[in-house]
């Protein structure tokens, strides 16, 4: 799937809820790729194995991205490793 951006040799594909969250925030998959490559690990607690949570701090906002490692099967039987985008949010940064 050459239409999706790649992160660590896996395409980033949005789930239905991830797609709607992206559209609500007027973001695209290249914004997600930027957060994954330049962000920091911000999981407040341990996530399940295979899930990655990254944040990127800009001005007084924090963009949070959650992706899950998985696979995509083509109709011809070919299988590709992918990252499923499951959550996107932009939150106000609160200094504690």
């Amino acid at each position: 799937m050459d239409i999706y951006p790649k992160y660590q040799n896996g395409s980033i594909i949005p789930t239905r809820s991830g797609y709607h969250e992206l559209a609500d925030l007027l973001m695209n998959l290249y914004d997600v790729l930027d957060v994954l490559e330049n962000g920091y690990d911000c999981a407040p607690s341990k996530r399940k194995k295979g899930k990655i949570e990254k944040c990127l701090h800009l001005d007084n906002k924090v963009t949070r991205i959650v992706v899950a490692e998985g696979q995509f099967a083509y109709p011809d039987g070919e299988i590709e490793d992918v990252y499923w985008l499951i959550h996107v949010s932009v939150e106000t940064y609160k200094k504690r």
Side-chain angles (χ1 to χ4, degrees):
M1 285 186 277
D2 295 324
I3 61 172
Y4 295 107
K6 296 222 181 251
Y7 174 68
Q8 295 180 353
N9 295 326
S11 297
I12 302 169
I13 302 175
T15 59
R16 182 177 292 178
S17 62
Y19 173 79
H20 289 295
E21 289 173 353
L22 273 178
D24 289 344
L25 295 170
L26 303 175
M27 294 175 68
N28 60 38
L29 290 173
Y30 290 98
D31 296 326
V32 171
L33 179 63
D34 182 46
V35 173
L36 288 172
E37 289 179 341
N38 301 317
Y40 57 92
D41 184 24
C42 63
S45 61
K46 192 84 167 163
R47 288 204 174 258
K48 286 184 179 180
K49 184 179 176 184
K51 289 192 179 178
I52 301 170
E53 182 174 355
K54 296 273 187 143
C55 291
L56 186 63
H57 181 96
L58 294 172
D59 298 328
N60 64 341
K61 301 286 184 185
V62 175
T63 304
R64 181 181 306 260
I65 303 292
V66 180
V67 293
E69 296 175 4
Q71 293 183 328
F72 181 82
Y74 291 99
D76 64 358
E78 182 184 348
I79 295 176
E80 179 183 359
D81 291 329
V82 297
Y83 290 95
W84 296 102
L85 175 65
I86 55 177
H87 177 68
V88 180
S89 65
V90 176
E91 305 154 1
T92 303
Y93 178 72
K94 296 178 184 173
K95 201 169 193 178
R96 295 182 184 187

